[in-house]
Amino acid sequence: MTKQEKQMCAKLAGPETGIEIKHSVCDICTPGPQCGLNVYVKDGKAIKIEGMPEFPSNRGKLCTKGAANRQYVYREDRIKTPMKRVGERGSDDFVPISWEEALDTIAQKLSEIREAYGPESVAWFTGYTKWIRPWLRRLCNSFGGHNYMTESSTCFRSGRMANETIFGRDMRGDLMGRPQLLVGWACNPYINAYVMGQGFVRAKEAGAKIIIIDVRHTQAAEKLADLFLRPRIGTDIVLAHAIANLIIQNGWQDQAFIDQYVHGFEEYRNMVSAYDLETAERITGVPQKDIRTAAEWMSQIKPACITPSNGIVHHINGYNAHRAVMCLDLITGNVDKPGTILPVYDTYCDIGSGFSTYEEEFMNETSTPKTVPQIGEERFPLWNRMTSDAQTMDLPRQVLEGKPYEIHALAAFGVNTMIFPEPGKFREAMKKLDFIFATDLFWTDACKYADIVLPVCSSLERSELKCYPGGVMYYVSPAIAPLYESRDDVEVMTELAKRLCPEDKLLCAGYHESLRYMFRDELEDLEKARETGMPHRCSKFKPYIPGTYLKNGPETKTGKLELYSELIREIDPDYHLDPLPVYYDGNRGTDPEKYPFVLMTGARLPNTIHSRGHKVPWLRSLRPDPMVDISPEDARALGIRQGDKVRLYSETGEIHLLANVTEVASQGELHLIHGYEEANASDLIATDYLDPYSGFPSYKQLRCAIEKEDA
Ligand SMILES: Nc1nc2c(c(=O)[nH]1)N[C@H]1C(S)=C(S)[C@@H](COP(=O)(O)OP(=O)(O)OC[C@H]3O[C@@H](n4cnc5c(=O)[nH]c(N)nc54)[C@H](O)[C@@H]3O)O[C@H]1N2
Ligand SMILES: Nc1nc2c(c(=O)[nH]1)N[C@H]1C(S)=C(S)[C@@H](COP(=O)(O)OP(=O)(O)OC[C@H]3O[C@@H](n4cnc5c(=O)[nH]c(N)nc54)[C@H](O)[C@@H]3O)O[C@H]1N2
Ligand SMILES: [Mo]
């Protein structure tokens, strides 16, 4: 928007027009650095939405999704009243009921189930929605349960585990610390993380070199990369090990740093020595000269920041792929210095903002000792050791098999069957449960399996505190009143707490009181942020001083940075988890003759967030049909042309969609976006094909076949 247009817009507001500008936050996408909104409200309706100029992350700008906020919030399929199922599970046969009836029924059913089968037989789940997590965890604890779980069982947590394994703590790239080399491994920030993308752009403008490593030809490869490496899907570990091997063979590693801070260098050196340049080129498809350049730059340009993003952990061996990449920071000594990677100290809702709160205490102080394993604990012991959540990916299995004990109810805040690999199996599991309730903005496939469905508010309709790096607190009040009969999720939890665990007075007291408890050392700031409704710098903010973490000693078992994990070594050998980040061929087990392609699902598009954009008309118009990317060579060989109807199938399922012939895809590989109801990528992905370290599904690597359908 030009300056002139902005001035015109600002003039729109005022007593003459009856338009008021309210501040809010865009909650359509990633909960990290969200974007501030100016919402133009007239007669209680949002009539125009634009970026908030004073907001630190977006400075007045909005992406495609943000610009479609109004259409998102006013989507036609918003749930309008609480609903009760009267027909079969999976049918649309529901009748409206009052909030009182809905809440009383839920409380009664959950109490009965707790009484009959124990509190652990209720699974508490939240999807991509992250602002409600401290409350849901506490509700699960106060109810007496342990099976709190989230979509982070498939999102970022495996990467965090990998960091914690090596460093004892999660680590983030320090883009503000003037890195001279940035390695974006599986990273396309223009689409996934606009704000991080700006950090890349600024670093490049300041003269940093950039390496992008991606299985697809992306915007980042095009606009940012000084060197672009394009490995075959699932071969990143080989690439990382080959780079490490070359560095070590040439003595380019930072030996002084390794001697002082690193554990397991000899074991690691032995492992990577198997990956010479020739082997690496054969497996990854990356030319030897490019691997050599990458090794030279990574060891010689300082400071360097080498970080993978989540795409890399959505693999059968994804946890190790993340570890393998981070090991390169270690051997080059690029740790805990400005412009490298720095430790993260969470403030609130998984964001490190530079001050501390009592969030952990709030979430966990009402928990009781566990008497049975959490869901997933027996299958994924490392996940269990490193996180306090149950592993969601094991929920359908446990429901269906009833082992090690039966699950009888699902309490879901934003559940979408599409998140789960093999959604058919999840639906089957839902059919078996005695009771399900779901809160959502929209009427989804999952809602049809619930007994009670509750309508909840969008971010425009609720109060919400966000904390961001740099000590920023942003506490928004509702820009518009809740649409229809919706209430916000935390209000729903508070009402349930009053009925299920009234002794938990704090939870029963509601959102703001809980915040006052968690932020009790920053009360003045909290109230100030609430009062002004503007981004507020917390007075307790202290910038992290690089080097402090290493000086105090890493929080690992050995007190060193672990290339070889002592934690994994302690895990029962029957699980076959390796203390080193080992490579194996993730395509094994399926017949390459029958399934000659490797499929990657869910590399992001600018107009979609999971299932959220596909039903928003403006966003849908940018890609009206589900499409699978296929290389021109493969398309030609199969007689497939742009826009042809194709059948895509794996051992697990099949979907029907259109072909998008593009050089974005390498030969032998296919890509498609998830979250379409009519062609759901997850239908192709098996539930039992999970990373044994993390329990993560292999969204981004599976064998499949494609054929043209008759017109
Ligand atoms: N527009 C948009 N933005 C989003 C989201 C969205 O749905 N839409 N989702 C948000 C969420 S929940 C998440 S978790 C993040 C995810 O965002 P990211 O963590 O960045 O993950 P992806 O977009 O899956 O992958 C990023 C890049 O990695 C590449 N890639 C995938 N697998 C591999 C691999 O094995 N090796 C290599 N070298 N490259 C690989 C992909 O081609 C892609 O270009 O994005 C967030 N941002
Ligand atoms: N095939 C494939 N599958 C994937 C991925 C992939 O790359 N490929 N990516 C995975 C990743 S990284 C992630 S993070 C997951 C995300 O997967 P999900 O968690 O399923 O994400 P969404 O579909 O965005 O949101 C879940 C539900 O929450 C609802 N919702 C939105 N806002 C609110 C709210 O404020 N309150 C409540 N109660 N509900 C709300 C939405 O309408 C939706 O029905 O998907 C995973 N699934
Ligand atoms: Mo995610």
Side-chain angles (χ1 to χ4, degrees), residues 27-28 72 75 125-133 151-152 154-156 310 314 412-421 438-442 444 446-447 454 456-459 462 489 601-604 609-612 672-675 680-683 685 697 699-700:
D27 182 54
I28 299 181
Y72 176 77
R75 246 171 77 169
F125 173 83
T126 168
Y128 193 49
T129 300
K130 292 185 167 96
W131 72 285
I132 58 178
R133 292 188 178 185
E151 122 298 354
S152 299
T154 72
C155 176
F156 71 96
N310 292 346
H314 296 167
F413 292 80
V415 64
N416 178 348
T417 44
M418 277 180 238
I419 177 189
F420 291 85
T439 72
D440 209 301
L441 274 76
F442 310 111
T444 64
C447 291
L454 303 172
V456 286
C457 299
S458 71
S459 60
R462 64 189 184 222
D489 289 278
T601 73
R604 286 23 180 166
I609 283 278
H610 312 305
S611 64
R612 296 180 184 197
L672 79 127
I673 300 300
H674 60 302
N680 185 2
S682 299
D683 282 335
I685 303 167
Y699 290 133
K700 296 198 165 51

Side-chain angles (χ1 to χ4, degrees), residues 31 125-139 148-153 155-157 348-350 359 362-363 389 490 493:
F125 173 83
T126 168
Y128 193 49
T129 300
K130 292 185 167 96
W131 72 285
I132 58 178
R133 292 188 178 185
W135 285 267
L136 186 62
R137 189 185 279 271
R138 183 168 174 126
L139 177 59
Y148 162 83
M149 55 180 74
T150 78
E151 122 298 354
S152 299
S153 292
C155 176
F156 71 96
R157 189 74 69 171
Y348 175 64
C349 285
D350 288 321
E359 184 192 38
F362 173 75
M363 292 192 293
D389 304 4
V490 175
M493 290 177 210

Side-chain angles (χ1 to χ4, degrees), residues 19-144:
I19 297 171
E20 217 184 323
I21 300 179
K22 304 262 183 105
H23 300 308
S24 192
V25 70
C26 175
D27 182 54
I28 299 181
C29 86
T30 176
Q34 279 169 323
C35 299
L37 300 178
N38 276 351
V39 184
Y40 291 68
V41 181
K42 186 174 164 86
D43 302 329
K45 204 166 170 187
I47 56 164
K48 173 183 170 63
I49 291 179
E50 59 189 31
M52 180 177 167
E54 305 86 346
F55 204 74
S57 63
N58 63 315
R59 301 249 164 243
K61 295 193 183 111
L62 284 181
C63 75
T64 24
K65 295 168 266 92
N69 245 293
R70 240 163 27 87
Q71 285 198 343
Y72 176 77
V73 167
Y74 293 110
R75 246 171 77 169
E76 277 173 12
D77 57 343
R78 280 284 299 255
I79 305 166
K80 300 194 170 56
T81 66
M83 304 286 274
K84 180 169 95 175
R85 188 167 52 76
V86 288
E88 294 264 297
R89 280 232 158 101
S91 73
D92 262 328
D93 231 349
F94 281 74
V95 292
I97 51 170
S98 71
W99 269 100
E100 280 318 290
E101 185 186 344
L103 292 165
D104 288 345
T105 312
I106 294 169
Q108 190 199 335
K109 290 281 183 197
L110 294 186
S111 298
E112 283 168 15
I113 289 168
R114 174 168 58 180
E115 194 62 33
Y117 309 104
E120 59 283 350
S121 66
V122 179
W124 301 83
F125 173 83
T126 168
Y128 193 49
T129 300
K130 292 185 167 96
W131 72 285
I132 58 178
R133 292 188 178 185
W135 285 267
L136 186 62
R137 189 185 279 271
R138 183 168 174 126
L139 177 59
C140 167
N141 283 331
S142 294
F143 178 76

Side-chain angles (χ1 to χ4, degrees), residues 161-175:
M161 276 170 64
N163 285 344
E164 287 169 357
T165 308
I166 301 173
F167 302 96
R169 210 163 242 290
D170 197 16
M171 305 293 282
R172 296 274 151 81
D174 179 24
L175 297 192

